[in-house]
Amino acid sequence: PDINIGPSAVIAGWVEASIAVIVVIARTYTQAKVVGRMGAEDYLMILSLIIAMLNTSLITHAVSWGIGRHIYYLTPEETVNAIKFEFIAQTPGIVAPTLARISFAIYLLKFVGTSKFRRWILWSVVWSQAIVNIIQLVLIFAQCEHFAALWDPSVGGKCWSRKVQVYSGYFLGALNCIHDLILTFLPLVILKDLNITRRVKVILGVLMGMSIFAFAASIVKTIELGNLGKVSDFTYFTVSFIIWFTIENYVVIIAASIPSLRPLLLHV
């Protein structure tokens, strides 16, 4: 039947975006007014949110063209435009969580003190996130002789197998999962050595451990990557991947921003 599951991805995306906007606004207010200083990590998080919302806007446009419906029921024009905007949305969808993870890693650098090993771990997260995600973007743009052939077969030219994007996505997903685990448990190790009360340690541990939810979302999104290879009905089967792709984007932003709200909570 000609069903449409695309709107579920749109609704999920904008609900999550709304929550992320509230959290990032609260974070920005905390740093600018309560703490009195905005750092590089704060600006990176604002940029991450803007780019994530660009991704959601492009997905919304893709759904209006037919993402979420079986490709059998779409006209050639609808098919081309639906797939085009879904592919274009992948770039901001990759960049947004990358910036959010880098932002959180830079935030944690404030707490590692003189430990060279912990600083090395956090900087390795920053640089590997940047380098590997740039490579992933290059693979997306370079996989066809003519970029438009990604969504319009009539353009012609040779393209790599879809498996290249799927397997490179698996590698990126695995790396993101590892980094989410590092950004979840390293703060707990750091807190253990801080000279603060146990109650404050528990509260900070819970706040800083929110990245575990980003880890869970990264796992499911990586599993859903297999749907990108279902070319025969791409517009329908890609929706579950889009939903988890979006969840990962906003969960990383929210989880990485919540620890920064502690000064606001103490102020209130």
Side-chain angles (χ1 to χ4, degrees):
D2 186 12
I3 58 176
N4 187 1
I5 59 175
S8 62
V10 173
I11 293 171
W14 288 113
V15 168
E16 293 157 21
S18 301
I19 298 171
V21 167
I22 293 171
V23 172
V24 172
I25 288 176
R27 174 197 179 125
T28 304
Y29 175 83
T30 301
Q31 299 305 310
K33 298 297 183 180
V34 180
V35 177
R37 184 187 64 84
M38 293 275 288
E41 67 275 15
D42 302 306
Y43 294 110
L44 281 173
M45 192 61 72
I46 293 171
L47 181 59
S48 172
L49 176 62
I50 293 171
I51 294 174
M53 292 177 71
L54 173 60
N55 166 262
T56 305
S57 299
L58 289 167
I59 290 299
T60 302
H61 198 52
V63 169
S64 71
W65 276 106
I67 288 292
R69 295 172 61 195
H70 291 290
I71 202 168
Y72 174 82
Y73 296 103
L74 302 180
T75 66
E77 181 186 12
E78 288 175 330
T79 302
V80 167
N81 282 292
I83 297 176
K84 177 175 72 174
F85 286 106
E86 197 277 339
F87 265 105
I88 293 174
Q90 289 186 27
T91 297
I94 291 172
V95 173
T98 299
L99 293 178
R101 288 186 177 97
I102 290 174
S103 169
F104 191 43
I106 293 174
Y107 170 78
L108 291 177
L109 283 168
K110 299 176 182 179
F111 302 97
V112 296
T114 58
S115 173
K116 292 183 179 180
F117 178 67
R118 293 173 186 175
R119 295 184 74 84
W120 178 84
I121 290 176
L122 290 173
W123 279 116
S124 69
V125 170
V126 170
W127 287 109
S128 58
Q129 273 287 306
I131 293 170
V132 173
N133 281 282
I134 288 173
I135 292 173
Q136 178 69 8
L137 290 175
V138 170
L139 290 176
I140 290 175
F141 283 102
Q143 62 184 299
C144 281
E145 188 176 348
H146 302 293
F147 185 51
L150 283 168
W151 55 78
D152 188 358
S154 66
V155 172
K158 294 182 179 179
C159 288
W160 300 340
S161 168
R162 285 287 181 96
K163 291 182 179 180
V164 174
Q165 186 182 3
V166 172
Y167 291 150
S168 64
Y170 282 146
F171 174 77
L172 177 61
L175 181 70
N176 287 338
C177 289
I178 292 171
H179 286 169
D180 287 333
L181 282 179
I182 291 173
L183 296 176
T184 297
F185 292 106
L186 182 59
L188 302 181
V189 176
I190 294 171
L191 285 173
K192 181 174 64 69
D193 298 331
L194 293 181
N195 187 24
I196 54 179
T197 65
R198 180 178 298 178
R199 177 174 172 271
V200 175
K201 284 184 179 181
V202 171
I203 293 172
L204 284 175
V206 171
L207 293 177
M208 289 185 170
M210 291 291 180
S211 291
I212 195 68
F213 295 108
F215 168 71
S218 295
I219 289 178
V220 181
K221 185 211 72 175
T222 303
I223 294 172
E224 291 291 342
L225 270 169
N227 287 324
L228 292 181
K230 297 179 179 178
V231 183
S232 60
D233 200 1
F234 181 83
T235 54
Y236 183 82
F237 283 107
T238 192
V239 170
S240 57
F241 169 75
I242 289 172
I243 290 175
W244 283 101
F245 198 86
T246 305
I247 289 173
E248 181 194 24
N249 281 359
Y250 291 116
V251 166
V252 171
I253 291 171
I254 294 167
S257 294
I258 284 179
S260 299
L261 301 182
R262 178 178 173 270
L264 177 62
L265 298 177
L266 291 176
H267 177 72
V268 172

